[in-house]
Amino acid sequence: MTDLIIKDALSFLLSFILVTIITPYVQKKSIEIGFVDRPNPRKIHSYPIPVTGGVALFLSFFISQFLIRGISREFLGFFIASSLILAIGLVDDWYKSQGREFGALPKFLVQVLACSIVFFMGIQIEGITNPFTHRFINFPVWFQYIATVIWLFGVTTVINFIDGIDGLAAGITTISGTTLFFVALMNLSIISTARVSTYMAAALVGVASAFLIFNRHPARIFMGDSGATFLGFVLGTIAVEGTFKVATVVSLIVPILTLGLPIFDNLFVIFKRIKEGKPIYKADKSQVHFRLLEAGLNQKQTVLFLYLVSICFSLTSLIIMLLARR
């Protein structure tokens, strides 16, 4: 256990320090090549801001994980899948920086491919335990695939959608990642992959919290779609490895509640867009942070309020898990 705690602490510290070193360099290069997010009617910033923070998040996370965990088949598969997530996000960000729109279909297909790679590398939602008979029900492989891909793609998308104002996505990731870290710790005795989840969660909290140094209001750099989708992809993977494999009803509820704010907000947005006949992938100002800004809160107040809501969701999920174990 001591060895685990030391590695978790190192995972957090390495990723945190790396972000503080890499981000300023990425920020400078982004400005030099014009890879910036320019103001438009939907944006709330009034001057161009570098949009390549995802590169710093990605590099810092994987350098720390390589040093802590080394290379394995699963690690390599996750690295390849995450690279696809980052790459397609960067393409999307580049198009936006040039005032153009990148097609939703290529992005969707690449993200589904990334989720599929993770599945075939063994990161899977395998089944559930019947709460009445306590018998494990193993899902058919086709259903395992669909459930895993939908979950990973869904979390990747909701974190990206909530990245609309300074510091929000990084802060929500920090809160959710911390919660999933403690959930994985509690599951160490019953899930063999929970140890890897603690390393990943510690590194994720490290990169997300360090990025807030540069991304809190007024932001000096944005994480872009590349960074937000990467953070969401990692969060989804941690939940599968550290929570879902317990295969109980509670283990399904906990990660959903942990990510309750972005999940429920985006469900609201999707239903609203469907009702209004709008494409669900078309960006607008229907997310909760935009609604709070329109209600009169400033950016800092909006972010702090949503942090509080996210903390409440996370604490509720931990309480439910603890009560279920009594």
Side-chain angles (χ1 to χ4, degrees):
M1 190 67 175
T2 303
D3 178 62
L4 174 67
I5 293 172
I6 291 172
K7 285 189 174 182
D8 286 335
L10 286 174
S11 189
F12 170 83
L13 288 172
L14 275 172
S15 59
F16 188 99
I17 292 168
L18 285 167
V19 167
T20 63
I21 295 171
I22 297 173
T23 301
Y25 176 80
V26 170
Q27 180 183 6
K28 180 182 177 182
K29 289 297 179 183
S30 184
I31 294 172
E32 287 177 1
I33 64 175
F35 204 153
V36 294
D37 191 21
R38 293 179 172 84
N40 66 37
R42 183 178 167 270
K43 304 297 171 97
I44 57 178
H45 58 279
S46 56
Y47 52 90
I49 297 176
V51 70
T52 50
V55 175
L57 293 169
F58 176 88
L59 291 174
S60 301
F61 178 87
F62 275 106
I63 290 171
S64 70
Q65 287 298 280
F66 170 73
L67 294 174
I68 296 296
R69 294 167 50 190
I71 294 180
S72 64
R73 179 176 176 273
E74 185 180 280
F75 177 87
L76 187 60
F78 183 63
F79 174 77
I80 293 170
S82 298
S83 298
L84 290 174
I85 293 289
L86 179 79
I88 197 66
L90 284 172
V91 171
D92 191 16
D93 290 330
W94 175 254
Y95 267 71
K96 289 174 182 173
S97 75
Q98 303 305 304
R100 295 184 289 164
E101 284 292 326
F102 183 64
L105 182 59
K107 189 174 179 181
F108 169 77
L109 293 175
V110 171
Q111 289 179 347
V112 169
L113 173 61
C115 296
S116 301
I117 290 172
V118 166
F119 174 83
F120 289 112
M121 287 295 176
I123 300 173
Q124 305 163 348
I125 298 174
E126 298 171 349
I128 190 170
T129 300
N130 187 317
F132 303 105
T133 64
H134 302 292
R135 178 175 168 269
F136 180 76
I137 301 170
N138 199 52
F139 295 147
V141 174
W142 64 268
F143 189 82
Q144 291 181 10
Y145 172 76
I146 291 173
T148 304
V149 170
I150 287 177
W151 169 256
L152 291 174
F153 177 81
V155 178
T156 299
T157 302
V158 299
I159 297 298
N160 186 32
F161 278 10
I162 207 166
D163 180 33
I165 58 176
D166 299 348
L168 183 56
I172 296 299
T173 299
T174 300
I175 295 165
S176 300
T178 301
T179 306
L180 291 176
F181 171 78
F182 285 112
V183 170
L185 274 182
M186 287 187 276
N187 287 332
L188 277 174
S189 61
I190 49 180
I191 309 180
S192 59
T193 55
R195 176 181 289 269
V196 172
S197 286
T198 65
Y199 299 155
M200 290 175 64
L204 184 66
V205 172
V207 298
S209 58
F211 192 69
L212 281 171
I213 297 171
F214 309 94
N215 187 237
R216 69 178 186 269
H217 185 70
R220 288 176 276 165
I221 185 171
F222 292 153
M223 65 176 67
D225 277 19
S226 61
T229 52
F230 170 66
L231 293 181
F233 189 66
V234 178
L235 274 172
T237 303
I238 292 169
V240 174
E241 289 285 78
T243 307
F244 280 138
K245 289 193 174 181
V246 177
T248 64
V249 173
V250 171
S251 73
L252 299 180
I253 295 173
V254 166
I256 293 172
L257 273 179
T258 300
L259 294 160
L261 174 62
I263 287 175
F264 296 131
D265 177 49
N266 281 282
L267 285 174
F268 169 83
V269 169
I270 288 170
F271 288 133
K272 183 175 182 291
R273 290 175 183 172
I274 291 173
K275 184 179 178 181
E276 295 175 353
K278 298 177 181 177
I280 61 174
Y281 56 84
K282 191 71 174 178
D284 57 22
K285 287 192 173 183
S286 53
Q287 274 89 8
V288 64
H289 45 277
F290 289 126
R291 299 199 301 274
L292 289 172
L293 289 171
E294 289 174 0
L297 273 65
N298 62 38
Q299 282 205 55
K300 288 184 178 180
Q301 291 168 338
T302 297
V303 168
L304 288 174
F305 175 76
L306 293 176
Y307 283 176
L308 180 61
V309 173
S310 184
I311 289 170
C312 289
F313 271 116
S314 291
L315 289 175
T316 302
S317 69
L318 289 173
I319 290 169
I320 290 173
M321 186 170 179
L322 289 170
L323 289 174
R325 296 198 167 195
R326 293 185 62 182

